[in-house]
Every structure is written in structure tokens, then in C-alpha cells.
Amino acid sequence: MSKLQHVLGISGGKDSAALAIYLKDKYPMLDIKYYFTDTGKELDETYQLIDALEGQYGINIDRLEDKKISSTNEDPFDFHFKSFRGYLPSPQARWCTALMKLKPFEKFVNGKPTVSYVGIRGDEQREGYISREKNIQSIFPFRRNIWSQDVLEKIFNPENHEQLLTYYSQYIKGGKLDKIEAVFSKPIPFNRNYRLEKERIIKEKLDALLEFGVVEYNKSIFQYLKTTDYPLSMEDDYPLLENEDNLVRADIFKILEESGVGVPAYYNKVKYEVDGQVGEYARSRSGCYFCFFQQKIEWVWLYEQHPERFKEAMKYENEDEYFTWIPNESLKELMDPKRIREIKLDHLKRTNKHKSKNSKFLLDILDDTESDACTACFL
């Protein structure tokens, strides 16, 4: 029996939903608790996906609720928006994420040793949410490297070089082990002034180790973790050590479709026409319908496909104080027909530049904006 609690946050997006299905199918021995932090400003498709997961896949999802807020009969976003006196959240001030996602999550965990599963894919170049709380450890099952960046920095620290080689020697011998030692021996700067160089070398070292064997890599790191205070140090074994999967975007859509849960409707492409040209747009993310991480073409999508939601988003803006969802542009300005035409033409230009005929579920026309978003919301 596991000494830990295992949790997975369902955002309403494709990746977290697919991860819930994936783990339930492949690792049924894991007793996972599922949760959803509702901002009160989600699209209907988000709630439909959560209902489908529960109804069709037998997954129970806890709706995290703050009794203080619910007693006011206000949505969580409106409650906090008032407390910030009309200041909109932004990439520089993500109070929405801190108060409506992370705070409820850490209260849900309640200080217990916890493994949190994150749905970042193998084709994404980003790192997921890593809690500052020592009792929470993030794991990424869709990637060949399931471990978080903070773990990588520890195993590639020169001080731990010999220790890691000792663990590797239990699984690999001879010339192959010599090559692994050479990987660990490559100099790496841990000075804060060389952060980017450090990250580059860590990635090179990681890629090299994975080529020598994913399972051997996982087992060696697991041995190391047992000498630390990470939650997984409490476990005698861990089923994901044998995981060699590397799932990409197409795999995620396949999981959702084959499970019967289905893909959230806001990912479906909608055709539009401008100046005789035909393009397609969709939403690239779950989360609040007025999320400030949206690209302008996604705001146009919202205006044309969900006009009532667009109007609600407009109510939060204060042009006199320059409080707008988009820097230097209000939604009132964006909805002008001439401006919409400009945005669509620019989108078409980027679409033609990046579009690939090999991807059935292509969202690259949005420049993969998921990678720029807050990972606590859009998994």
C-alpha cells in the first residue's frame, strides 16, 4: 500500500483529461485523487468534459471550494477581483493563478506527502508547476523524462556524480557505464549568472542518459531520491519507473476519442473568411474564457463564437485606468470590424507559414500558445 497520496488536477483541457484516462488504464494500482478548481469563468465545454470523465470513465473529481467565497454567492474570480480593486490579472501579476489554483490545491493536499501528476507532453519544451512545498513532488508521465527540473539539477550537481554512478552500476556495466560517467563528468556551471548555459547543458546530459536506457535512468534516479526528503523516498518501488512512453499532441486526441470521453468542443476548428481567403481558428487552452494568455485570434474566436462571454469580459476592463486584458488595446477596440480583419489576415499569414499537412489536429497556427501559458491552469 502506498505511503503517499497521488493527485491529478483536471483543468478541463485535453492534456489533463487524457492523463487521467491514461493513468487509470495503464496504472490502475495507483489510488489517484482527482480535483478541479473552478474559477466560475470557464466555458461550458469545460464542465461538459469533467462530467464526461466522471460519467463515462468512472472518475470521481473533487470540486475544490472555498466556503468563505461560496457563502457570498459570488464566483471565485469576482470575489478576488473586488479584493484587488479592479486590477486585472496579467502575465506579470498572476493573482488569479495564485489564489484560485495554487492556494486551493495546496489546501487540498493538506500537508501530506503527495505525488502530483502533470500532463505536459513529450513534444513540449516547458516545465510544469513545481510546488515550493517539500511535501509535493511533480511527475510527468507523458514524457520520457518523468522527473521535474529541480530533480535534474540535483542529479547533475557534480557533488552527486559518484553517488549516481554507483546506482547506475547496478543496471549497466562495462564500456556503456564509462560513457555514462563521461556524461556526468562534463562541466556544468551552477553560478546564477549562467542559468541559461546550465539549463542547456542539463538538457544535453539528460538526452544522453535517456539514450542509454530510460528504465535504467529512472531506476538510478529513484535510488537517489530514496536518500532525499522527496515524497517518493518513502516508497519501496514505483510503477512509473518502467514507463518509456513519449506522448505527443496527436496521442492526446487519440486517447480522448478512443475513450469515448471526447475532445472539448473549443478545440474544433471553425472556418472564417476574410478578403476572399478562408482560414480556421479555435481555442488552444482551457481555463477562463478571458484568459490574458490568449492570442488576439482567440479573442476574435470568442467574440464571434461566444459573443455573450466576450461582452462579459469587456465589463472587467477599465480603459480610463488602462486596465485591459490585452496590453495597449481594449476589447472594444479589438471588436472593430477593421481590427478583426487585420487580426485574421495576420493569422492567415502565420498559418500559411507554419501549417503542416501531416497533422490532423494541428494547433500550430496558434504558435503553440500553450507553452507560454501558466502551467497550473492549462494542463
Side-chain angles (χ1 to χ4, degrees):
M1 183 176 179
S2 176
K3 303 169 187 176
L4 310 176
Q5 65 175 349
H6 300 259
V7 303
L8 198 167
I10 305 297
S11 70
K14 63 187 186 305
D15 296 326
S16 62
L19 182 57
I21 296 167
Y22 173 86
L23 290 174
K24 188 172 178 62
D25 283 343
K26 191 165 184 178
Y27 300 101
M29 73 290 291
L30 294 175
D31 182 17
I32 299 177
K33 298 178 181 178
Y34 304 90
Y35 67 92
F36 169 59
T37 51
D38 192 356
T39 65
K41 302 301 178 183
E42 316 285 335
L43 291 171
D44 291 341
E45 291 89 340
T46 294
Y47 304 110
Q48 292 166 8
L49 179 67
I50 290 172
D51 290 343
L53 278 171
E54 290 189 314
Q56 297 186 40
Y57 228 75
I59 293 175
N60 180 59
I61 302 171
D62 285 335
R63 275 74 164 174
L64 304 190
E65 186 177 89
D66 187 319
K67 293 182 179 179
K68 178 182 178 181
I69 295 176
S70 59
S71 67
T72 67
N73 293 320
E74 289 186 306
D75 291 331
F77 181 86
D78 290 331
F79 178 87
H80 293 297
F81 181 68
K82 285 184 179 180
S83 70
F84 276 84
R85 300 179 181 179
Y87 282 89
L88 294 175
S90 69
Q92 294 74 37
R94 304 183 197 180
W95 59 256
C96 53
T97 300
L99 297 177
M100 294 191 294
K101 298 291 182 178
L102 303 186
K103 186 177 179 181
F105 164 63
E106 293 181 348
K107 184 177 180 181
F108 173 69
V109 166
N110 196 28
K112 298 178 182 178
T114 300
V115 175
S116 176
Y117 294 92
V118 183
I120 291 180
R121 307 184 307 268
D123 59 347
E124 294 184 281
Q125 298 299 319
R126 59 172 174 141
E127 184 69 8
Y129 164 66
I130 300 175
S131 175
R132 294 181 180 178
E133 303 295 328
K134 289 187 176 181
N135 61 297
I136 301 173
Q137 180 174 2
S138 297
I139 294 292
F140 306 84
F142 285 159
R143 307 188 314 196
R144 292 177 74 201
N145 170 50
I146 64 174
W147 311 106
S148 55
Q149 185 68 23
D150 57 318
V151 170
L152 296 183
E153 293 201 8
K154 287 181 173 61
I155 68 167
F156 289 123
N157 189 315
E159 295 179 358
N160 299 319
H161 176 175
E162 293 300 325
Q163 185 179 356
L164 265 298
L165 280 177
T166 298
Y167 299 140
Y168 253 107
S169 67
Q170 299 176 35
Y171 312 107
I172 293 177
K173 308 293 182 182
K176 197 173 180 181
L177 184 61
D178 292 338
K179 292 179 181 179
I180 290 173
E181 181 177 12
V183 172
F184 279 107
S185 297
K186 182 177 179 179
I188 181 171
F190 274 82
N191 186 308
R192 68 178 61 185
N193 296 324
Y194 297 93
R195 180 180 60 84
L196 294 178
E197 178 67 4
K198 178 189 69 175
E199 291 177 357
R200 183 186 67 79
I201 296 177
I202 284 179
K203 186 179 184 306
E204 288 181 359
K205 287 173 175 276
L206 169 63
D207 291 342
L209 290 184
L210 291 173
E211 290 304 310
F212 288 116
V214 175
V215 175
E216 293 84 353
Y217 163 77
N218 284 338
K219 289 183 176 180
S220 299
I221 289 187
F222 184 68
Q223 289 280 82
Y224 166 75
L225 290 177
K226 292 179 72 64
T227 69
T228 70
D229 57 359
Y230 277 95
L232 278 174
S233 67
M234 303 172 63
E235 297 291 271
D236 296 325
D237 199 5
Y238 185 51
L240 267 73
L241 298 182
E242 303 284 341
N243 187 2
E244 298 184 73
D245 288 344
N246 190 59
L247 275 64
V248 298
R249 179 179 285 149
D251 298 317
I252 302 308
F253 282 95
K254 184 178 180 181
I255 289 173
L256 291 172
E257 291 180 328
E258 292 183 349
S259 70
V261 170
V263 179
Y266 49 70
Y267 291 120
N268 295 335
K269 298 292 183 57
V270 178
K271 293 185 182 297
Y272 65 81
E273 185 174 346
V274 57
D275 290 2
Q277 302 179 68
V278 177
E280 293 180 322
Y281 58 14
R283 202 167 195 246
S284 69
R285 65 189 72 252
S286 59
C288 300
Y289 55 82
F290 45 56
C291 178
F292 46 80
F293 276 116
Q294 292 180 112
Q295 286 199 1
K296 292 179 181 179
I297 190 63
E298 295 181 85
W299 280 108
V300 172
W301 174 89
L302 185 69
Y303 173 68
E304 296 183 340
Q305 303 303 317
H306 294 275
E308 73 290 349
R309 297 299 191 194
F310 188 90
K311 290 178 181 177
E312 290 175 18
M314 289 179 67
K315 295 177 183 178
Y316 292 99
E317 293 192 322
N318 183 336
E319 294 181 67
D320 293 335
E321 298 289 340
Y322 303 103
F323 296 161
T324 57
W325 293 113
I326 305 169
N328 304 315
E329 183 172 20
S330 69
L331 295 184
K332 182 179 179 181
E333 293 170 322
L334 182 140
M335 64 186 289
D336 181 271
K338 293 181 180 179
R339 183 65 180 123
I340 289 177
R341 175 180 171 273
E342 290 176 354
I343 293 171
K344 287 182 175 178
L345 288 173
D346 179 66
H347 179 243
L348 278 168
K349 183 178 179 181
R350 288 185 290 116
T351 299
N352 293 333
K353 181 178 179 180
H354 299 293
K355 192 171 184 180
S356 168
K357 296 180 181 180
N358 297 323
S359 178
K360 180 180 178 182
F361 303 107
L362 185 72
L363 285 176
D364 294 335
I365 56 173
L366 294 173
D367 287 341
D368 199 11
T369 55
E370 296 163 298
S371 63
D372 298 326
C374 180
T375 54
C377 292
F378 308 119
L379 302 178

